[in-house]
Amino acid sequence: MSTGPHTSRPDFEIAGHRISPGQRLSLDVPIVRLYTHAPLPIPVEVIHGRRPGPVLLVCGALHGDEINGVEIVRRLLHSSRLDGLSGTLVAVPIVNVLGFVQHSRYLPDRRDLNRCFPGREDGSLGARVAALFRREVVDRASHIIDLHTGALHRSNLPQVRLQLGVDDASRQMAEAFGAPVILNAPLREGSLRAYAQGRGIPVLTFEAGEALRFDEWAISAGVRGILRVMRKLKMIPAGRGRSAASEVALGASWVRAPQDGILRPRIRLGARVSPGQILGLVASPIGDVQAEVPAPGDGIVIGINNLPLVNRGEALFNIARFKELDDAESAVDEYQEALELGLR
């Protein structure tokens, strides 16, 4: 993005860099060093629009093995819809660079970076990384979209998570995003979402797909959702795409393995289930001991364990409950159809 005509809009300052209105800059935020003393920075790209508007932070791989967000950010940055941007987009594809290079959710000290905010300059590795990222990047944002996936061997249906009833701005962002499910998720101490919420920054978490795997459904959903939020914030012009229906879940809970064995699921991610419906079977390797996994009630499957080898008590199927189950089922079906047809 080249520099345009003179404007009175101020430069955007981040991590020791100044970006003029109408400019786009890729920069590295020096955050940690390897044992070899070689630097391992966090890559950041900033698009500072000529016209005023929000400062939207979009970040991925806060958990280093959740790589769908990395591809979502890459595609977002290559979207022609960002031409003529109002406001400022701060895109961070990989926050936890140490975990990312090791294919790990965690930092080398086994801490979860998303439990270390706001961090401490003189604390543990996790606390120091969180403090630096918070100071250099997060505190510059007026709105945040944090991109996540399911854990290792678990897939999540595209969903947005936020604490409902706290601020209207986050709720409006979630509704604009257009994922089929909006899940009311309590804040977790030390998370980026809890820190941002405490500062009054509207924030939502997008969850879709599985760790260490690219999922086209999840990636496409993420890119489209972010662009819809940017339209809502008037950062980009309104598009011609259809609006996306979302349903608020009353809550969600995991159905767990009744015994040790090998799981054979009978339902798919996004399926509607009813009380007593058999979700899967857990059997011994030769099948002489077999246990059914019944659904505890009505709902939609928003998370599923992809690893067939399970122990008793292990989480298998995450079932979300809705006030209007028919509407939730329709939202999931319409969402999948629209993505497959490329209408959004």
Side-chain angles (χ1 to χ4, degrees), residues 81 227-239:
R81 293 177 175 85
L227 291 173
R228 282 194 287 264
V229 171
M230 295 181 75
R231 292 189 191 104
K232 177 69 176 180
L233 297 175
K234 302 186 184 306
M235 298 180 71
I236 60 176

Side-chain angles (χ1 to χ4, degrees), residues 211-231:
L212 293 178
R213 297 288 183 271
F214 271 178
D215 182 319
E216 185 57 35
W217 192 21
I219 294 167
S220 297
V223 176
R224 288 171 169 82
I226 294 168
L227 291 173
R228 282 194 287 264
V229 171
M230 295 181 75
R231 292 189 191 104

